[in-house]
Amino acid sequence: MSLEAKHPIKLNALYQQVILDHYKKPRNRGRLPEPAFSQHLRNPTCGDDIEIQVELDAAGRVKAVTFQGRGCSISMASASMMTEALRGKTPAEAVATVERFKSMMRGEPGSYKDLGELQALTGVSKFPVRIKCATLAWSAFEEGLAEHQGGEGNGQGD
Ligand code: ZN
């Protein structure tokens, strides 16, 4: 059964390989014993359903990110790639990476070489209906982190 049957997309062959590899052999799939925070998001358009969990080390850096759930190959591969991309980063660095990734997925011009293998997902940006598939796990991380850091008020001033 083709997971892409509903929204066929054609991607560069090498990129396709990276995505399929993460889809078939997801990294960091599962649960963490004591996550600092977790977040569950759904993408009803496609049926993607992802929960991410994040562990922070004593210095506040991202020690581990895991995900679980189900969804299309793009959402699962992107979640798998995210768990590797954010590990070891400070919360600020992680948020910056999430924002970089989202800029790329929105098709904003510029070089995204710093995102490494995440560039495999650039082709998805040409298919608006699939962009949310690719950004779902990333939004979950961002929202979960914001809630985790909440409690200091939502300052609107600058
Ligand atoms: Zn999807």
Side-chain angles (χ1 to χ4, degrees):
M1 181 180 357
S2 170
L3 289 154
E4 310 299 348
K6 266 196 267 181
H7 305 290
I9 62 175
K10 212 172 175 188
L11 300 172
N12 165 302
L14 174 66
Y15 283 177
Q16 190 118 39
Q17 221 169 25
V18 173
I19 292 168
L20 272 179
D21 182 61
H22 275 273
Y23 178 62
K24 289 180 179 165
K25 292 180 286 184
R27 314 324 190 244
N28 306 303
R29 190 177 175 114
R31 290 185 159 277
L32 289 167
E34 290 181 47
F37 63 89
S38 56
Q39 184 71 286
H40 188 181
L41 284 185
R42 290 185 186 88
N43 172 19
T45 319
C46 183
D48 308 317
D49 185 315
I50 295 178
E51 182 182 4
I52 61 116
Q53 295 193 319
V54 180
E55 188 179 351
L56 303 174
D57 68 14
R61 284 179 181 266
V62 176
K63 189 175 175 189
V65 185
T66 63
F67 77 101
Q68 56 194 322
R70 59 200 154 72
C72 66
S73 55
I74 298 296
S75 68
M76 294 290 107
S78 185
S80 171
M81 285 189 233
M82 182 190 79
T83 64
E84 294 196 318
L86 299 184
R87 191 169 47 214
K89 294 193 186 300
T90 65
E93 288 166 350
V95 167
T97 302
V98 172
E99 288 304 318
R100 287 282 293 151
F101 179 74
K102 286 186 166 182
S103 298
M104 181 179 77
M105 295 313 298
R106 284 193 297 262
E108 290 173 15
S111 167
Y112 292 96
K113 278 183 184 160
D114 55 305
L115 292 180
E117 76 168 6
L118 293 169
Q119 293 175 95
L121 290 160
T122 48
V124 178
S125 66
K126 294 187 213 113
F127 304 88
V129 74
R130 306 304 301 277
I131 294 174
K132 198 165 178 199
C133 301
T135 57
L136 191 65
W138 300 75
S139 296
F141 178 90
E142 209 170 30
E143 289 180 22
L145 179 63
E147 277 179 25
H148 177 68
Q149 293 176 328
E152 291 164 35
N154 298 315
Q156 296 291 316
D158 57 6

